Amino acid sequence: MTAPAPLAGVIGDPIGHSKSPRLHGHWLAQLGVPGHYIPIHVRPDHLVNALDGLRALGFAGVNVTIPHKEQVLAHADQVTDAARSIGAANTLTFDAAGQLHADNTDAYGFLQNLRDHDPDLSCAKGPVAILGAGGASRAVIWALLDAGCPELRLANRTEDRAQALARRFGPRVKVVPVDRPDQLWSDASLAVNATSLGMATTQAVPFDLSGLPDTALATDLIYTPLDTAFLQAARAKGCATVDGLGMLLHQAVPGFERWFGQRPQVTDALRQVVLAP
Ligand code: NAP
């Protein structure tokens, strides 16, 4: 008797847009791993039953996408520091005893994407300016604080949300009003767009970039489109830029390794597979 092929997938509502099946499918085929990764539509009112069902069916684990990333924490037996601090999980693993382990690998993916362009993360050694105070911003803040960043400046359309994150993450996080780009960009070594503004190609840059130093690295979390208005404006200022696709690809690595037993690589071929229409 051979062991059954490992099963994993992604749960969300909706789920049809997820790039994860394509991404994990590429790695399964490339590495010759006898496993399966499937998209699973789970409505919020079915979340608990769905997790029980996945456990009963012998799933090794699942990725979690909108709207379940926060809710799954309440149903996990173990929660990593990253997931607890960020307040959301994107990677669930069932252990041999059926215990549910919740992790957040978005922070890891964010830093690995930067490391592809800046191996020493020197961009995180100076002040970092972050636009946005939603769920993705929490992962970026946690990642950069963990990487030793001395000062994070946070600007958000709804300033109260930025203030709440400053209280949550402590004194290295400072809130800057959106009408003070001078305070935001001064001496910044890294500029991050963690807003969802730019997902429509017609949308403008979220904030005035005129004071952004040309020595800063600029990165956007949005990967559709790949070359956002924010990245274009930063390049026009002379900045090097990093698009958001690498974050998506890197955040998937730890889950694949846990569920299927091999550590996959983020390559140009994978980028092309995920970008294909
Ligand atoms: P979210 O929780 O809904 O937060 C959205 C953020 O964008 C908030 O700060 C919001 O400001 C701001 N915003 C939205 N519309 C705006 C506008 N017209 N003007 C100014 N600010 C605006 O979303 P999220 O989960 O943080 O995701 C943010 C982006 O990151 C999304 O595009 C998502 O696809 C992307 N993302 C990428 C990856 C990756 O792997 N590359 C991973 C996670 C997320 P208010 O607070 O004022 O509403």
Side-chain angles (χ1 to χ4, degrees):
M1 287 264 288
T2 53
L7 288 173
V10 55
I11 60 171
D13 177 24
I15 199 60
H17 68 288
S18 174
K19 306 265 190 204
S20 294
R22 195 186 280 205
L23 200 168
H24 286 270
H26 172 80
W27 281 333
L28 286 168
Q30 184 206 26
L31 296 168
V33 173
H36 304 280
Y37 185 101
I38 52 177
I40 306 168
H41 181 211
V42 175
R43 292 199 334 238
D45 53 333
H46 288 165
L47 179 61
V48 177
N49 285 342
L51 293 173
D52 285 342
L54 292 168
R55 181 188 287 111
L57 291 168
F59 268 67
V62 283
N63 285 125
V64 183
T65 188
I66 291 167
H68 305 308
K69 283 182 160 191
E70 283 90 12
Q71 280 70 22
V72 291
L73 290 180
H75 308 293
D77 299 297
Q78 290 121 32
V79 177
T80 61
D81 283 349
R84 185 175 297 105
S85 303
I86 294 165
N90 69 342
T91 305
L92 305 181
T93 305
F94 293 103
D95 70 15
Q99 297 261 297
L100 184 59
H101 174 273
D103 193 9
N104 189 309
T105 64
D106 278 337
Y108 165 84
F110 174 76
L111 291 181
Q112 285 304 107
N113 189 34
L114 290 181
R115 280 195 181 99
D116 282 347
H117 303 266
D118 177 7
D120 302 329
L121 282 183
S122 44
C123 62
K125 299 207 165 75
V128 174
I130 301 174
L131 310 178
S137 183
R138 293 202 304 266
V140 168
I141 293 169
W142 191 84
L144 289 166
L145 291 177
D146 196 48
C149 180
E151 181 184 343
L152 292 176
R153 301 171 188 156
L154 199 53
N156 193 50
R157 177 179 61 177
T158 310
E159 195 173 305
D160 286 355
R161 293 184 83 191
Q163 297 287 4
L165 292 195
R167 286 193 296 276
R168 180 184 184 115
F169 288 104
R172 279 190 284 164
V173 180
K174 299 180 172 44
V175 176
V176 176
V178 289
D179 58 357
R180 295 303 305 270
D182 53 321
Q183 292 181 6
L184 185 66
W185 304 125
S186 165
D187 299 329
S189 54
L190 174 66
V192 183
N193 180 29
T195 74
S196 49
L197 189 63
M199 293 185 77
T201 44
T202 50
Q203 282 175 330
V205 182
F207 295 91
D208 176 3
L209 266 64
S210 53
L212 179 64
D214 61 5
T215 47
L217 184 65
T219 187
D220 203 321
L221 268 51
I222 294 170
Y223 53 85
T224 312
L226 206 51
D227 195 26
T228 61
F230 175 75
L231 294 180
Q232 289 171 20
R235 265 204 313 280
K237 297 278 308 165
C239 298
T241 59
V242 176
D243 68 52
L245 183 60
M247 176 177 172
L248 175 78
L249 306 182
H250 281 292
Q251 64 75 31
V253 169
F256 187 96
E257 185 176 23
R258 279 169 212 159
W259 306 323
F260 299 116
Q262 289 197 52
R263 190 163 184 87
Q265 298 295 314
V266 170
T267 60
D268 275 344
L270 179 67
R271 275 179 74 90
Q272 297 317 317
V273 165
V274 173
L275 286 174

